[in-house]
Amino acid sequence: MSTPLSALDLVLLAVYLAGTLGLGLWIGRSIRTGDDFFLGGRRLPWWAIGMSLVATDIGGTDIIGVGGAAYGSGLAVANFEWIGCVPAMIVGAFVFIPFFWRTGVATIPEYLERRFDVRVRTALSICWQIFMACNLGVMLLASARMTSVLFGWNETLCIVATAVLVGLYTIVGGLAAVVYTDMIQCSVMIAGCLLVLLLGVADLGGPGEFWGRLSPEQKSLVLPLDTETPFPWTGILFGLALILSPAYWIGNQAIVQRSLGAKSAFQAQAAYVWGAGLKNLIPVIIVLPGLVAALRFPELENGDKAFPSLVSHLLPSGLRGIFLAAFLAALMSSVDSYLNSASTLITHDVYRRFLNPAADPRRMLTVGRLVTGVLVTWAVGFALALSLFDEGIYTIFQTLMSFFQGPALAVLLAGAFWRRATGTGALVAFLGGIAATVSQFLLQNATVCAWLDLQPLFQIEAPFLYYSVWGFLVAVTLLVLVSLLTRR
């Protein structure tokens, strides 16, 4: 899988990285208060926010992993963008995002305290803080492993260098630096992946030849329940489209925080619509290359080698540097977003709420930068610790996120649409939903069942798509029952 880099490749990469760092540091000159740091002074334009949303959602591991999934499962993987993102973004744009913006909050848990009480805020915030802090290390490790395999670089050096680069401009420039650098990274990512696709299709003889050689299964967007792939239509529709996707696009702090920094409620809406438009392009540039590789290299033992194989085969000196820039752009845009949002949660939901409610804007800026620096150090240490274990950690953390996303969505929907929902009902629903998903995981996990001398409840390859459905249904039931039994 190793892809040799020439001097020209390295020069192009160095120019890109220097430009990204320079832009972030330049933006940092105008940061004066906590509001500037966490929300960009609420002066961010819609077009930059929309591109940042896309860049945040697509990480370096997604470029490799989604292409690899398409190599084995076909075009159905595109549903994670077309069905799993676009509808939820449109609903969010016209229902939730302007509503959140008008409340003037900095975090989603802060809104939940206004709607319910501090118990609900604290429970949800703790879940997101733990997940984001740990996921920073996971993203650094997963991307470093991929980079070390692709380009033969030292894994530890990749972890430290990425953390220092991203940490510098995030600490200095805050959300504004994240959004504007994400805008550049989104453009580079699209250009680099599109280049690989165009050269790959041309190598096969053109669009007609490429499409004609694909099997009906590879072209299908809807797969039956008994499919051998991990993407049956039931999981895509009920787990992804109805639960995980709305929970992600209206409840994930790393996503919603960008729109909270928009100039107006209308611009917050426009950002989501613009991002949804760009999202329609993403499957074209990261899924189709996997299908190209399936035709060009049908004997690969691992689908994750699909994209790297195309790069090694198609891109000459210089152009490989563009792809590497695109890969690192996707990586950095995810890390900087989670870094800034994790800092926002800790500073607002812990420091300001419990430790120093009277903190002035300048004090919030100082604490925010300090917390961001601590998170960078933690992420490097956690990534190095995880490097001692085997692969599969990234998937584990995605599964852990599915444990609380369904219950979190139930609480958010009830808070927005049902006046009778109470704080006690929301808290019991959130915690009960998490307990339900964890129980389902234990009953489905073959290792745990063997230890308990039980038969697994069911056998599926993508259980996280179903955990969220179960957690959501349990949470809704508990929320309704407890709310009706408690005082308004």
Side-chain angles (χ1 to χ4, degrees):
M1 290 177 68
S2 181
T3 303
L5 298 176
S6 67
L8 178 58
D9 293 322
L10 295 175
V11 168
L12 289 174
L13 178 61
V15 169
Y16 166 72
L17 294 177
T20 301
L21 179 60
L23 175 62
L25 296 178
W26 180 78
I27 291 172
R29 299 182 310 163
S30 61
I31 304 300
R32 297 287 184 271
T33 68
D35 196 47
D36 293 336
F37 185 79
F38 296 114
L39 296 176
R42 297 188 186 270
R43 297 186 299 270
L44 300 176
W46 62 270
W47 45 270
I49 296 174
M51 297 182 77
S52 179
L53 290 172
V54 175
T56 298
D57 185 51
I58 302 298
T61 51
D62 293 307
I63 291 180
I64 304 298
V66 174
Y71 181 92
S73 302
L75 195 59
V77 180
N79 285 319
F80 277 82
E81 301 295 327
W82 286 331
I83 295 178
C85 291
V86 176
M89 293 179 75
I90 297 299
V91 171
F94 289 99
V95 180
F96 294 95
I97 298 307
F99 174 66
F100 290 148
W101 188 93
R102 286 192 293 268
T103 65
V105 299
T107 69
I108 294 298
E110 184 181 356
Y111 156 72
L112 289 176
E113 180 180 8
R114 295 188 182 187
R115 173 59 183 87
F116 294 116
D117 56 42
V118 69
R119 299 173 302 168
V120 180
R121 173 182 185 171
T122 303
L124 188 68
S125 184
I126 287 175
C127 283
W128 274 114
Q129 287 172 34
I130 294 174
F131 173 78
M132 285 186 171
C134 294
N135 206 35
L136 282 169
V138 173
M139 289 189 291
L140 285 178
L141 175 61
S143 299
R145 280 180 170 170
M146 192 64 66
T147 305
S148 65
V149 171
L150 285 174
F151 307 105
W153 296 352
N154 180 271
E155 187 176 290
T156 301
L157 180 61
C158 290
I159 292 173
V160 176
T162 302
V164 170
L165 176 64
V166 175
L168 273 176
Y169 70 75
T170 306
I171 290 172
V172 173
L175 182 63
V178 170
V179 167
Y180 285 111
T181 54
D182 279 0
M183 180 190 67
I184 304 298
Q185 289 158 353
C186 180
S187 302
V188 172
M189 177 185 68
I190 291 175
C193 294
L194 185 60
L195 176 64
V196 174
L197 172 62
L198 293 177
L199 293 177
V201 171
D203 184 63
L204 291 175
E209 180 69 14
F210 160 63
W211 193 252
R213 289 174 58 182
L214 293 174
S215 68
E217 291 76 15
Q218 289 175 312
K219 297 178 184 178
S220 177
L221 279 172
V222 180
L223 298 179
L225 184 60
D226 60 351
T227 179
E228 296 181 359
T229 73
F231 310 113
W233 70 268
T234 50
I236 294 295
L237 176 60
F238 296 109
L240 179 64
L242 297 183
I243 307 297
L244 283 178
S245 178
Y248 181 84
W249 288 103
I250 69 172
N252 187 334
Q253 178 68 25
I255 295 296
V256 178
Q257 188 173 337
R258 275 135 197 72
S259 63
L260 299 179
K263 294 179 179 179
S264 65
F266 175 76
Q267 292 222 13
Q269 286 181 297
Y272 258 60
V273 174
W274 166 230
L278 289 176
K279 268 295 187 179
N280 284 290
L281 178 63
I282 298 302
V284 176
I285 63 173
I286 64 175
V287 173
L288 292 187
L291 298 179
V292 171
L295 298 178
R296 187 64 181 78
F297 310 105
E299 302 301 324
L300 293 178
E301 69 273 15
N302 187 338
D304 285 347
K305 295 183 180 181
F307 227 117
S309 297
L310 287 178
V311 173
S312 299
H313 176 74
L314 298 172
L315 300 187
S317 176
L319 294 184
R320 289 176 184 171
I322 295 177
F323 169 75
L324 178 56
F327 178 79
L328 292 180
L331 159 64
M332 292 190 297
S333 62
S334 295
V335 174
D336 62 17
S337 299
Y338 273 80
L339 181 60
N340 180 255
S341 295
S343 173
T344 304
L345 286 171
I346 294 172
T347 307
H348 279 265
D349 294 338
V350 177
Y351 177 77
R352 192 173 201 175
R353 179 62 181 82
F354 296 107
L355 302 180
N356 189 2
D360 60 35
R362 286 193 172 276
R363 181 63 179 170
M364 290 294 288
L365 172 61
T366 302
V367 174
R369 283 175 167 166
L370 178 62
V371 169
T372 304
V374 171
L375 284 169
V376 171
T377 305
W378 155 264
V380 172
F382 192 61
L384 294 176
L386 290 178
S387 66
L388 303 176
F389 298 91
D390 294 331
E391 299 281 354
I393 299 170
Y394 186 80
T395 302
I396 291 174
F397 272 85
Q398 295 305 309
T399 301
L400 290 178
M401 185 168 68
S402 72
F403 287 169
F404 66 88
Q405 276 198 303
L409 177 64
V411 172
L412 277 172
L413 292 178
F417 296 118
W418 192 35
R419 292 180 180 274
R420 186 63 179 82
T422 66
T424 301
L427 181 65
V428 171
F430 182 64
L431 297 179
I434 294 177
T437 54
V438 172
S439 299
Q440 184 185 20
F441 167 76
L442 295 177
L443 290 175
Q444 187 271 333
N445 187 277
T447 302
V448 175
C449 287
W451 182 66
L452 295 174
D453 195 26
L454 298 172
Q455 288 296 320
L457 194 61
F458 49 80
Q459 292 288 351
I460 51 178
E461 292 189 57
F464 64 90
L465 291 176
Y466 296 91
Y467 295 156
S468 58
V469 178
W470 176 239
F472 177 80
L473 293 176
V474 170
V476 167
T477 302
L478 289 174
L479 198 151
V480 172
L481 291 176
V482 177
S483 291
L484 293 177
L485 293 173
T486 52
R487 191 177 62 179
R488 288 180 183 273

